[in-house]
Amino acid sequence: MHEQIRRRCVRLGELLMETEVTVRVLAKATGYSKSTVHKDLTERLPNVDTALAEDVAKILAYHKSVRHIRGGEATRIKWMNESRKIEK
């Protein structure tokens, strides 16, 4: 693995630990694709820094456990906004 990729994995892992944002938000903030960020955090980081990878895995597992709630809330807000448009 190239040194540049190693540094990127560690930097992404540290950013995730600091901010605890989703992979999608982290990708947008850093300019990398969502796929690259996810692959770096789940597959490459354990080979580079196992302790950081374990902490990152906990955050990713939490996000995965609540994603159905986020999706439902987004849909609810969407339909509330749609109904307000119809009323006007």
Side-chain angles (χ1 to χ4, degrees):
M1 185 181 318
H2 291 164
E3 188 60 31
Q4 178 183 2
I5 296 173
R6 287 178 187 270
R7 283 184 297 214
R8 182 181 69 204
C9 292
V10 171
R11 185 178 42 206
L12 288 172
E14 290 172 348
L15 277 172
L16 185 70
M17 293 300 299
E18 290 172 12
T19 60
E20 295 187 6
V21 295
T22 62
V23 170
R24 187 175 299 229
V25 173
L26 187 61
K28 196 169 198 174
T30 58
Y32 297 114
S33 73
K34 186 177 67 164
S35 300
T36 299
V37 171
H38 188 266
K39 185 165 186 159
D40 282 352
L41 294 176
T42 58
E43 294 179 21
R44 294 181 180 135
L45 187 59
N47 296 330
V48 177
D49 188 343
T50 55
L52 180 60
E54 289 174 5
D55 294 337
V56 165
K58 290 176 187 173
I59 293 173
L60 293 176
Y62 169 74
H63 287 302
K64 188 173 183 180
S65 72
V66 297
R67 71 179 173 190
H68 67 284
I69 297 169
R70 278 197 200 107
E73 182 65 18
T75 303
R76 186 180 72 79
I77 290 170
K78 174 186 171 187
W79 286 107
M80 281 178 39
N81 290 336
E82 289 291 322
S83 68
R84 287 184 187 146
K85 288 179 187 176
I86 293 171
E87 290 174 1
K88 289 182 181 180

